[in-house]
Coordinates of all heavy atoms in Angstrom, one line a residue:
V736 N 0.9 -1.2 0.0 CA 0.0 0.0 0.0 C 0.9 1.3 0.0 O 1.9 1.4 0.8 CB -0.9 0.0 1.2 CG1 -1.7 1.3 1.3 CG2 -1.9 -1.1 1.1
K737 N 0.5 2.3 -0.8 CA 1.3 3.5 -0.9 C 1.1 4.3 0.3 O 0.0 4.2 0.9 CB 0.8 4.3 -2.2 CG 1.2 3.7 -3.4 CD 0.7 4.5 -4.5 CE 1.1 4.0 -5.9 NZ 0.7 4.9 -7.0
S738 N 2.0 5.2 0.6 CA 2.0 6.1 1.7 C 0.8 7.1 1.5 O 0.6 7.6 0.4 CB 3.2 6.8 1.9 OG 3.1 7.8 3.0
G739 N 0.0 7.3 2.5 CA -1.0 8.3 2.4 C -2.4 7.8 1.9 O -3.4 8.4 1.9
V740 N -2.5 6.5 1.6 CA -3.8 5.9 1.2 C -4.0 4.6 2.1 O -3.1 4.2 2.8 CB -3.8 5.4 -0.3 CG1 -3.7 6.7 -1.1 CG2 -2.8 4.5 -0.6
R741 N -5.2 4.1 2.1 CA -5.5 3.0 2.8 C -6.0 1.8 2.0 O -6.6 2.0 1.0 CB -6.6 3.3 4.0 CG -7.9 3.7 3.5 CD -9.0 3.8 4.5 NE -9.1 2.6 5.2 CZ -9.8 1.6 4.7 NH1 -10.5 1.7 3.5 NH2 -10.0 0.4 5.4
H742 N -5.9 0.6 2.6 CA -6.5 -0.6 2.0 C -6.5 -1.7 3.0 O -5.8 -1.6 4.0 CB -5.7 -1.1 0.8 CG -6.5 -2.1 -0.1 ND1 -6.6 -3.4 0.2 CD2 -7.1 -1.9 -1.3 CE1 -7.3 -3.9 -0.7 NE2 -7.6 -3.0 -1.7
T743 N -7.5 -2.6 2.9 CA -7.7 -3.6 3.9 C -6.4 -4.5 4.0 O -6.0 -4.9 5.1 CB -8.9 -4.6 3.5 OG1 -10.0 -3.8 3.7 CG2 -9.0 -5.8 4.4
F744 N -5.7 -4.7 2.9 CA -4.5 -5.4 2.8 C -3.3 -4.5 2.7 O -3.2 -3.7 1.8 CB -4.6 -6.4 1.6 CG -5.7 -7.3 1.5 CD1 -6.6 -7.2 0.5 CD2 -6.1 -8.2 2.6 CE1 -7.7 -8.1 0.4 CE2 -7.1 -9.0 2.6 CZ -8.0 -8.9 1.4
S745 N -2.4 -4.7 3.6 CA -1.2 -3.8 3.6 C -0.2 -4.3 2.5 O 0.6 -3.5 2.0 CB -0.5 -3.9 4.9 OG 0.0 -5.2 5.3
R746 N -0.4 -5.6 2.1 CA 0.5 -6.1 1.2 C -0.1 -7.3 0.4 O -0.9 -8.1 1.1 CB 1.8 -6.6 1.9 CG 2.9 -7.4 1.0 CD 4.0 -7.9 1.8 NE 4.9 -8.8 1.1 CZ 5.6 -9.7 1.8 NH1 5.7 -9.7 3.1 NH2 6.3 -10.6 1.0
R747 N 0.2 -7.5 -0.8 CA -0.3 -8.7 -1.5 C 0.9 -9.1 -2.3 O 1.4 -8.4 -3.2 CB -1.4 -8.3 -2.5 CG -2.6 -7.5 -1.8 CD -3.5 -6.7 -2.7 NE -4.5 -7.5 -3.4 CZ -5.7 -7.1 -3.8 NH1 -5.9 -5.8 -3.6 NH2 -6.5 -7.9 -4.5
T748 N 1.2 -10.5 -2.2 CA 2.2 -11.1 -3.0 C 1.5 -12.0 -4.1 O 0.8 -12.9 -3.7 CB 3.1 -12.0 -2.1 OG1 3.7 -11.2 -1.2 CG2 4.2 -12.5 -3.0
M749 N 1.7 -11.7 -5.3 CA 0.9 -12.3 -6.4 C 1.9 -13.2 -7.2 O 2.9 -12.8 -7.4 CB 0.3 -11.3 -7.3 CG -0.6 -10.2 -6.6 SD -1.2 -8.9 -7.6 CE -2.1 -7.9 -6.4
Y750 N 1.3 -14.4 -7.7 CA 2.0 -15.3 -8.4 C 1.4 -15.4 -9.8 O 0.3 -16.0 -9.8 CB 2.2 -16.6 -7.6 CG 2.7 -16.5 -6.3 CD1 2.0 -16.3 -5.1 CD2 4.1 -16.6 -6.1 CE1 2.6 -16.1 -4.0 CE2 4.8 -16.5 -4.9 CZ 3.9 -16.2 -3.8 OH 4.4 -16.1 -2.5
V751 N 2.0 -14.9 -10.8 CA 1.4 -14.8 -12.1 C 2.0 -15.8 -13.1 O 3.1 -15.7 -13.4 CB 1.6 -13.3 -12.7 CG1 0.8 -13.2 -14.0 CG2 1.1 -12.3 -11.6
D752 N 1.1 -16.7 -13.6 CA 1.5 -17.7 -14.6 C 2.2 -17.1 -15.7 O 1.7 -16.1 -16.4 CB 0.3 -18.5 -15.0 CG 0.6 -19.5 -16.1 OD1 1.8 -20.0 -16.1 OD2 -0.2 -19.9 -16.9
E753 N 3.5 -17.5 -16.1 CA 4.3 -17.0 -17.2 C 3.4 -17.1 -18.6 O 3.6 -16.2 -19.5 CB 5.5 -17.6 -17.2 CG 6.4 -17.1 -18.4 CD 7.7 -18.0 -18.6 OE1 7.6 -19.2 -18.6 OE2 8.8 -17.4 -18.6
D754 N 2.7 -18.2 -18.7 CA 2.1 -18.5 -20.0 C 0.8 -17.8 -20.3 O 0.6 -17.3 -21.4 CB 2.0 -20.0 -20.2 CG 3.3 -20.8 -20.1 OD1 4.3 -20.2 -20.7 OD2 3.4 -21.9 -19.5
S755 N -0.1 -17.9 -19.2 CA -1.4 -17.3 -19.5 C -1.6 -15.9 -18.9 O -2.6 -15.2 -19.2 CB -2.5 -18.2 -18.8 OG -2.3 -18.2 -17.3
W756 N -0.6 -15.5 -18.1 CA -0.7 -14.1 -17.5 C -1.8 -14.0 -16.5 O -2.3 -13.0 -16.0 CB -0.8 -12.9 -18.4 CG 0.5 -12.8 -19.2 CD1 0.6 -13.1 -20.6 CD2 1.8 -12.4 -18.8 NE1 1.8 -12.9 -21.0 CE2 2.6 -12.5 -19.9 CE3 2.2 -12.1 -17.6 CZ2 4.0 -12.2 -19.8 CZ3 3.6 -11.8 -17.4 CH2 4.4 -11.8 -18.6
S757 N -2.3 -15.2 -16.0 CA -3.3 -15.2 -15.0 C -2.7 -15.3 -13.5 O -1.7 -15.9 -13.5 CB -4.3 -16.4 -15.0 OG -5.1 -16.3 -16.2
I758 N -3.2 -14.4 -12.6 CA -2.7 -14.6 -11.2 C -3.3 -15.8 -10.7 O -4.5 -16.0 -10.5 CB -3.2 -13.4 -10.4 CG1 -2.7 -12.1 -10.9 CG2 -2.8 -13.5 -8.9 CD1 -3.2 -10.8 -10.2
M759 N -2.4 -16.8 -10.4 CA -2.8 -18.1 -10.1 C -2.9 -18.2 -8.5 O -3.5 -19.2 -8.0 CB -1.9 -19.2 -10.6 CG -2.0 -19.2 -12.2 SD -3.7 -19.4 -12.8 CE -4.2 -20.9 -12.1
A760 N -2.2 -17.4 -7.8 CA -2.2 -17.5 -6.3 C -1.7 -16.1 -5.8 O -1.1 -15.3 -6.5 CB -1.3 -18.5 -5.8
Q761 N -2.3 -15.8 -4.5 CA -1.7 -14.6 -3.9 C -1.9 -14.7 -2.4 O -2.8 -15.3 -1.9 CB -2.4 -13.3 -4.4 CG -3.8 -13.1 -4.2 CD -4.3 -11.8 -4.6 OE1 -3.8 -10.8 -4.2 NE2 -5.4 -11.7 -5.4
D762 N -0.9 -14.2 -1.7 CA -0.9 -14.1 -0.2 C -1.4 -12.6 0.2 O -0.8 -11.7 -0.4 CB 0.4 -14.4 0.4 CG 0.9 -15.8 0.0 OD1 0.0 -16.7 0.0 OD2 2.1 -16.1 -0.3
L763 N -2.2 -12.6 1.2 CA -2.8 -11.2 1.5 C -2.5 -11.0 3.0 O -2.7 -11.9 3.9 CB -4.3 -11.3 1.2 CG -4.7 -11.5 -0.2 CD1 -6.1 -12.1 -0.2 CD2 -4.7 -10.3 -1.0
Y764 N -1.9 -9.8 3.3 CA -1.4 -9.5 4.7 C -2.3 -8.5 5.3 O -2.7 -7.5 4.6 CB 0.0 -9.1 4.6 CG 1.0 -10.2 4.1 CD1 1.2 -10.4 2.7 CD2 1.7 -11.0 5.0 CE1 2.0 -11.5 2.3 CE2 2.6 -12.0 4.6 CZ 2.7 -12.3 3.2 OH 3.5 -13.2 2.8
D765 N -2.5 -8.5 6.6 CA -3.2 -7.5 7.3 C -2.3 -6.3 7.7 O -1.2 -6.2 7.3 CB -3.8 -8.1 8.6 CG -2.8 -8.6 9.7 OD1 -1.6 -8.2 9.6 OD2 -3.2 -9.3 10.5
M766 N -2.9 -5.3 8.4 CA -2.2 -4.1 8.7 C -1.1 -4.2 9.5 O -0.2 -3.4 9.7 CB -3.2 -3.1 9.2 CG -4.3 -2.6 8.2 SD -3.7 -2.2 6.6 CE -2.8 -0.7 7.0
Q767 N -1.0 -5.4 10.3 CA 0.2 -5.7 11.2 C 1.2 -6.4 10.4 O 2.3 -6.8 11.0 CB -0.3 -6.5 12.4 CG -1.0 -5.7 13.5 CD -2.4 -5.3 13.0 OE1 -3.1 -6.1 12.5 NE2 -2.8 -4.0 13.1
G768 N 1.0 -6.7 9.2 CA 2.0 -7.4 8.3 C 2.0 -8.9 8.4 O 2.9 -9.6 8.0
K769 N 0.9 -9.4 9.2 CA 0.7 -10.8 9.3 C 0.0 -11.5 8.2 O -1.0 -10.9 7.7 CB 0.0 -11.1 10.6 CG 0.8 -10.7 11.8 CD 0.0 -11.0 13.1 CE 0.8 -10.5 14.3 NZ 0.1 -10.8 15.6
L770 N 0.3 -12.6 7.7 CA -0.4 -13.4 6.7 C -1.9 -13.6 7.1 O -2.1 -14.1 8.2 CB 0.3 -14.7 6.3 CG -0.4 -15.5 5.1 CD1 -0.3 -14.7 3.9 CD2 0.4 -16.8 5.0
W771 N -2.8 -13.1 6.4 CA -4.2 -13.2 6.7 C -5.1 -14.1 5.9 O -5.7 -15.0 6.4 CB -4.8 -11.7 6.6 CG -6.2 -11.5 6.9 CD1 -7.1 -12.4 7.6 CD2 -6.9 -10.3 6.7 NE1 -8.3 -11.9 7.7 CE2 -8.2 -10.6 7.2 CE3 -6.7 -9.0 6.2 CZ2 -9.3 -9.6 7.1 CZ3 -7.7 -8.1 6.2 CH2 -9.0 -8.4 6.7
R772 N -4.9 -13.9 4.6 CA -5.7 -14.7 3.6 C -4.8 -15.3 2.5 O -3.8 -14.6 2.2 CB -6.9 -14.0 3.1 CG -7.9 -13.6 4.1 CD -9.0 -12.7 3.5 NE -10.1 -12.4 4.6 CZ -10.9 -11.6 4.4 NH1 -11.1 -10.9 3.3 NH2 -11.8 -11.4 5.4
S773 N -5.3 -16.4 1.9 CA -4.6 -16.9 0.7 C -5.5 -17.3 -0.3 O -6.6 -17.8 0.0 CB -3.8 -18.1 1.1 OG -3.2 -18.8 0.0
M774 N -5.3 -16.9 -1.6 CA -6.2 -17.1 -2.7 C -5.6 -18.0 -3.7 O -4.3 -18.0 -3.9 CB -6.6 -15.8 -3.4 CG -7.5 -14.9 -2.6 SD -8.1 -13.5 -3.6 CE -9.2 -14.3 -4.8
E775 N -6.3 -18.9 -4.3 CA -5.8 -19.7 -5.4 C -6.8 -19.6 -6.5 O -8.1 -19.7 -6.3 CB -5.7 -21.3 -5.0 CG -4.5 -21.6 -4.3 CD -4.3 -23.1 -4.2 OE1 -5.4 -23.8 -4.3 OE2 -3.3 -23.5 -4.0
G776 N -6.3 -19.4 -7.8 CA -7.1 -19.6 -9.0 C -7.0 -20.9 -9.5 O -6.3 -21.8 -9.1
T777 N -7.8 -21.2 -10.5 CA -7.8 -22.4 -11.3 C -7.7 -22.1 -12.7 O -8.4 -21.1 -13.1 CB -8.9 -23.4 -10.9 OG1 -10.1 -22.8 -11.2 CG2 -8.9 -23.8 -9.4
L778 N -7.2 -22.9 -13.6 CA -7.1 -22.7 -14.9 C -7.4 -23.8 -15.8 O -6.9 -24.9 -15.5 CB -5.7 -22.0 -15.2 CG -5.4 -21.6 -16.6 CD1 -4.6 -20.3 -16.6 CD2 -4.6 -22.6 -17.5

């Protein structure tokens, strides 16, 4: 998250498939920097 703005997730680490350019997974962190949620796509 940029300085001066807000968002529920302070950080998102995204894993983007080289071939399809789809985000296939991402880790979502709370405002304390702790891992909060994890998403998986399917293709």
Side-chain angles (χ1 to χ4, degrees):
V736 173
K737 290 182 177 180
S738 177
V740 298
R741 62 169 300 280
H742 196 282
T743 295
F744 305 121
S745 64
R746 175 185 165 202
R747 305 162 80 151
T748 303
M749 305 177 184
Y750 303 90
V751 186
D752 176 31
E753 178 188 52
D754 297 320
S755 67
W756 294 110
S757 293
I758 298 174
M759 298 306 300
Q761 64 173 306
D762 298 322
L763 304 153
Y764 295 81
D765 64 17
M766 297 308 295
Q767 286 72 48
K769 297 179 180 179
L770 183 60
W771 180 9
R772 295 174 178 172
S773 177
M774 290 187 73
E775 275 192 344
T777 59
L778 185 142

